[in-house]
Amino acid sequence: MLGHHQRSFGQIEHLMFNQLIGRTLREVEAAAMAVVNRMTATRIFLSRLSRVRPVVRPSSNQFADPLERVIVAGRADVPLSEADLSSLVLEAVASQPIRELRAALSLVLYLKLRSSKKIAATAAETLASQIIRVLQPAVTTHEVFGRQATQCREVAVICSTLTATTCDRYPRNLLQGFLPDGFSDVTPALVQSRFSELWDRFGLERNSLPAAASR
């Protein structure tokens, strides 16, 4: 009887060992299958991701010129957050060393972005501070002599060549807005030329905007 019991205990131990080994193997197989499933899902995800069109962001590595970056950012097919676009706007305005040229760029940026893009309040305030005299022209009388009188005559000559179209009325306000104490570091002709260049580079259409108030 004792030997029989010993054999029974041995059989039981052997059975328990086999069950333990079987359970361990099943757990290992299940874990391995989970890893395989995750790897498969990852490959599928990466395959789909490779077919997604990458978002082009106008970074400093792509475009060294802050002006060029904001020109690219202003396009309708370039998705940028409000914060990113506002940062590019501020950088572009700050990159202009002369206040008349900052105003020319700010005016074009305002016209380009006001209806299609959203910018932060800080960026909007920066643009407004640069172009307030352009958007709200006023009739004033000044007694000028010397250099100021020369600048006034130059502005008058340029304005006499401008037409009544929208793209000409804005630079007229821009030039007249800096009289009589402006243009100490730049000529009126250069400011007008720069504005016309920016108008074209930003893709503004000559008949798509409401006319500016004139002086």
Side-chain angles (χ1 to χ4, degrees):
M1 293 293 294
L2 182 58
H4 177 72
H5 285 298
Q6 287 176 341
R7 286 194 299 272
S8 297
F9 286 133
Q11 292 174 352
I12 293 174
E13 290 175 355
H14 181 70
L15 178 61
M16 293 178 64
F17 178 77
N18 288 339
Q19 290 177 344
L20 178 61
I21 292 297
R23 187 177 65 182
T24 303
L25 290 175
R26 287 193 299 272
E27 292 175 351
V28 170
E29 291 174 354
M33 184 59 66
V35 171
V36 171
N37 290 337
R38 285 196 296 269
M39 292 177 64
T40 302
T42 301
R43 284 196 298 269
I44 294 174
F45 172 76
L46 293 177
S47 176
R48 292 176 178 174
L49 186 62
S50 65
R51 295 193 295 268
V52 176
R53 182 182 178 183
V55 175
V56 179
R57 301 187 60 154
S59 67
S60 57
N61 294 329
Q62 294 172 300
F63 305 99
D65 183 8
L67 178 58
E68 190 64 29
R69 289 200 293 271
V70 79
I71 289 174
V72 174
R75 296 172 183 167
D77 59 346
V78 178
L80 281 180
S81 68
E82 178 181 296
D84 287 340
L85 178 59
S86 300
S87 177
L88 293 176
V89 167
L90 294 175
E91 288 178 5
V93 173
S95 70
Q96 305 301 305
I98 301 174
R99 65 170 183 164
E100 290 86 353
L101 298 182
R102 284 196 299 272
L105 174 58
S106 297
L107 178 57
V108 173
L109 282 170
Y110 165 77
L111 296 174
K112 178 64 177 180
L113 302 177
R114 64 176 178 175
S115 61
S116 60
K117 298 279 188 177
K118 292 183 178 180
I119 57 176
T122 53
E125 290 170 2
T126 297
L127 296 183
S129 67
Q130 298 292 327
I131 61 176
I132 185 65
R133 290 194 291 183
V134 180
L135 297 181
Q136 297 180 354
V139 177
T140 58
T141 302
H142 301 275
E143 188 175 4
V144 295
F145 305 93
R147 186 189 65 82
Q148 290 185 345
T150 300
Q151 303 288 11
C152 289
R153 285 193 292 270
E154 289 183 13
V155 169
V157 170
I158 293 173
C159 290
S160 68
T161 66
L162 300 176
T163 67
T165 60
T166 302
C167 61
D168 279 351
R169 296 184 70 180
Y170 279 111
R172 179 182 288 111
N173 287 356
L174 175 66
L175 295 176
Q176 293 178 351
F178 284 100
L179 294 176
D181 58 346
F183 306 108
S184 59
D185 299 311
V186 66
T187 64
L190 181 57
V191 174
Q192 191 274 332
S193 175
R194 182 62 165 168
F195 178 86
S196 179
E197 173 197 344
L198 292 171
W199 183 284
D200 292 335
R201 290 182 67 183
F202 277 90
L204 294 174
E205 298 179 6
R206 295 182 177 271
N207 297 318
S208 63
L209 300 170
S214 60
R215 290 177 182 270

